Amino acid sequence: MIVEELAMPDGHAASVDARGWGWRHAGRSAWAVSGLDLHIEPGERVMLLGASGAGKSTLVHALAGVLGGDDEGDDAGELLVNGRAPTRARGQVGLVLQDPDSQVVLARVGDDVAFGCENLGLPRDEIWRRVSDALDAVGLDLPLQHPTSQLSGGQKQRLALAGVLAMRPGLLLLDEPTANLDPDGVAEVRDAVARVLARRDTTLVVIEHRVDVWWKLVDRVVVLSPEGGVLADGPPDEVLAREGGALAASGVWVPGHPPARPSREHRDGPQLVRADGLSIARTARTVLHSELDFSVAAGACLAITGPNGAGKSTLGLTMAGLLAAFAGRVEASGLAGALGADPFRWRSRELVTRIGSVFQDPEHQFISGTVRGELEVGARAIGLGATETALRVDPLLERLRLGHLAGANPFTLSGGEKRRLSVATVLVTRPRLLVLDEPTFGQDSRTWRELVALLAELLDEGSGVVAVTHDGEFVDALADAELRMGPAGHTIEPRSLTR
């Protein structure tokens, strides 16, 4: 083992150096990152910005040593952490990803935090001392035996952060760590990081499209250019004052530069689907909400909002006919035609042209080896010929800024690109009702604007939309009504939104 060689003494922040560095995923002609020259001093707090697809996640994954070997891509130039190749500095680097669920490893809180330290080969007493310190640092005041399955999204993200901090990394990498969290969860994770930085000498690199979350916590902003290299670099306020307009035009969410919102006709249409005395449950023993009554009409958007763990995704899947109602009914009479009204009883071929679903995790939907192939799956399922398939697929590729990635493997896309692809897959079949779980996460302001504009057009054409979201901008731009869900058993009735 080389754990002792890799591990740094406590309290030593790491440096980062990139000299003409670049990375190209296997099978791609274009480089994800190219010509990058960058130096980060030990202890600096850096926010990494750039348009969706500019290579931000590629860079932090490379710094964490998890990007892959020679068979997964080509690199150029030099990338170093504390003077070493990242693959030889894994004990010095900690990475927290955007999806809280993907980072939970073990069934109990204490064991999950201890996992990384155990892999470093630390003595048992030292491991549990670090576990206690890390949980205290992130403010997760729970028994070590507490089940990880019972944590909220914000708690899971704090748990992931604690597991990384217990390893005492010199370089802390955060890849959109609040993208799937409700506003309270966002504040929890940000404040936990702030406490850690106040207690330890740690270098921070954080990726976040919504810069206002981290703006006051960092002392430097680096903006990557999609064409390669660095677009802007300097203290946050100076970069904002000097480059704010240009950054907003490139897709960065800059305070004071909101993206344009589409116009909506907001016409009343026939009812497509309704919940009647509906009870929803993840399992037979976990009923989340009961006696829900609401409907969605053609041309209308219902936003389902509320904290992590409230059951929003479960409600979305139930409305989409992918989960059975625990009690009560989902009636899709406006979509059924000659079918029965309960969409859960429809076959997949009957669902695909009536209700299109986008899951919270885009990768759960991918089944093809290329982006274009992913879009063609739905077209084949409904029997479209090659010409009609191209007429539907090609405009979506271009409009959602995926055209240059048509031949790429979906699993190599950035988080924002994966989300746009997952939305596009359901648009190909042109269903009357779309059920979208976090449709705008990971988007820069330009791609957000294009996604919202596309959905606005579908609404004006008579489609209905049910959107599970934490995105207040999305709600303000598109929603006709909001169903705000609280903790189990505390659902608020749907409310119409004034337009």
Side-chain angles (χ1 to χ4, degrees):
M1 293 180 63
I2 56 173
V3 169
E4 293 301 323
E5 177 186 313
L6 294 180
M8 293 184 66
D10 291 352
H12 286 252
S15 63
V16 170
D17 285 285
R19 303 181 186 118
W21 184 76
W23 174 266
R24 179 173 57 191
H25 294 285
R28 298 266 195 103
S29 58
W31 291 76
V33 182
S34 63
L36 181 63
D37 293 300
L38 180 66
H39 174 70
I40 299 175
E41 290 283 349
E44 278 195 292
R45 303 172 183 181
V46 177
M47 181 184 290
L48 196 62
L49 299 179
S52 179
K56 303 180 299 295
S57 292
T58 299
L59 174 58
V60 297
H61 290 181
L63 290 171
V66 297
L67 195 54
D70 293 340
D71 57 338
E72 296 188 38
D74 304 312
D75 66 349
E78 191 173 39
L79 186 67
L80 303 173
V81 175
N82 246 26
R84 291 182 166 190
T87 52
R88 299 202 62 221
R90 286 178 179 148
Q92 304 172 21
V93 183
L95 172 64
V96 179
L97 302 171
Q98 62 183 229
D99 181 3
D101 290 302
S102 70
Q103 297 166 95
V104 177
V105 179
L106 298 174
R108 297 181 296 191
V109 164
D111 294 339
D112 197 82
V113 178
F115 181 76
C117 292
E118 290 171 344
N119 280 294
L120 290 176
L122 298 175
R124 179 179 177 84
D125 290 347
E126 174 66 11
I127 288 174
W128 290 105
R129 182 174 69 82
R130 291 191 180 196
V131 168
S132 178
D133 287 349
L135 288 171
D136 180 62
V138 302
L140 195 57
D141 186 18
L142 293 171
L144 298 181
Q145 307 298 320
H146 188 86
T148 54
S149 61
Q150 295 181 15
L151 300 179
S152 70
Q155 289 174 321
K156 287 178 182 177
Q157 200 64 304
R158 282 191 285 170
L159 179 70
L161 182 60
V164 166
L165 296 178
M167 295 187 288
R168 307 278 172 87
L171 173 61
L172 178 60
L173 305 171
L174 307 179
D175 189 358
E176 294 199 63
T178 63
N180 286 318
L181 302 184
D182 59 66
D184 289 341
V186 170
E188 287 176 3
V189 172
R190 181 201 58 215
D191 292 347
V193 173
R195 288 194 297 271
V196 169
L197 295 176
R199 292 172 55 174
R200 293 197 178 279
D201 183 20
T202 304
T203 305
L204 171 70
V205 177
V206 57
I207 296 172
E208 182 63 69
H209 280 291
R210 309 282 181 146
V211 300
D212 54 325
V213 174
W214 299 95
W215 198 258
K216 299 302 182 183
L217 195 60
V218 300
D219 48 40
R220 181 180 173 190
V221 169
V222 175
V223 186
L224 298 187
S225 169
E227 285 73 43
V230 173
L231 189 65
D233 185 355
D237 291 338
E238 289 184 16
V239 170
L240 180 59
R242 185 177 67 248
E243 305 284 354
L247 293 177
S250 74
V252 176
W253 287 88
V254 177
H257 296 267
R261 295 178 182 176
S263 60
R264 282 280 318 281
E265 294 185 13
H266 299 284
R267 292 177 298 185
D268 293 330
Q271 179 179 290
L272 298 179
V273 63
R274 71 167 285 105
D276 185 10
L278 177 65
S279 295
I280 59 171
R282 293 193 184 96
T283 69
R285 296 183 179 180
T286 313
V287 178
L288 298 173
H289 296 279
S290 301
E291 298 298 323
L292 297 173
D293 295 288
F294 60 90
S295 63
V296 181
C301 174
L302 171 68
I304 302 175
T305 65
N308 291 99
K312 303 185 299 298
S313 294
T314 301
L315 177 57
L317 291 171
T318 306
M319 296 301 294
L322 300 176
L323 275 182
F326 183 82
R329 296 187 299 276
V330 173
E331 295 185 349
S333 301
L335 301 168
L339 303 174
D342 182 359
F344 184 71
R345 298 183 180 276
W346 300 352
R347 295 175 298 177
S348 59
R349 183 178 293 274
E350 295 163 342
L351 270 175
V352 72
T353 56
R354 292 171 172 84
I355 304 178
S357 300
V358 171
F359 302 148
Q360 188 174 74
D361 187 339
E363 294 185 356
H364 290 173
Q365 295 183 244
F366 296 158
I367 59 176
S368 177
T370 67
V371 167
R372 179 179 292 277
E374 203 65 54
L375 295 179
E376 291 174 344
V377 168
R380 288 197 299 270
I382 61 174
L384 296 183
T387 301
E388 180 62 23
T389 295
L391 288 174
R392 295 194 184 191
V393 167
D394 290 345
L396 284 172
L397 284 171
E398 295 309 313
R399 189 159 184 187
L400 294 179
R401 300 180 188 270
L402 296 171
H404 65 294
L405 298 168
N409 187 312
F411 292 94
T412 67
L413 303 184
S414 72
E417 290 165 346
K418 288 176 182 176
R419 168 50 77 214
R420 297 200 299 280
L421 175 59
S422 66
V423 173
T425 59
V426 303
L427 299 182
V428 169
T429 59
R430 299 181 180 174
R432 289 290 309 284
L433 178 68
L434 290 89
V435 180
L436 313 174
D437 199 337
E438 297 292 353
T440 57
F441 91 75
Q443 301 308 306
D444 64 41
S445 62
R446 291 186 305 174
T447 55
W448 181 94
R449 183 179 65 239
E450 201 60 57
L451 263 178
V452 170
L454 183 55
L455 293 174
E457 291 171 16
L458 293 173
L459 287 165
D460 287 345
E461 291 169 3
S463 295
V465 172
V466 175
V468 173
T469 185
H470 293 126
D471 183 352
E473 295 269 3
F474 178 90
V475 175
D476 291 343
L478 281 190
D480 299 283
E482 179 183 10
L483 176 68
R484 180 164 181 80
M485 302 180 71
H490 293 81
T491 301
I492 299 174
E493 290 296 314
R495 64 184 182 96
S496 296
L497 301 176
T498 303
R499 298 298 177 192

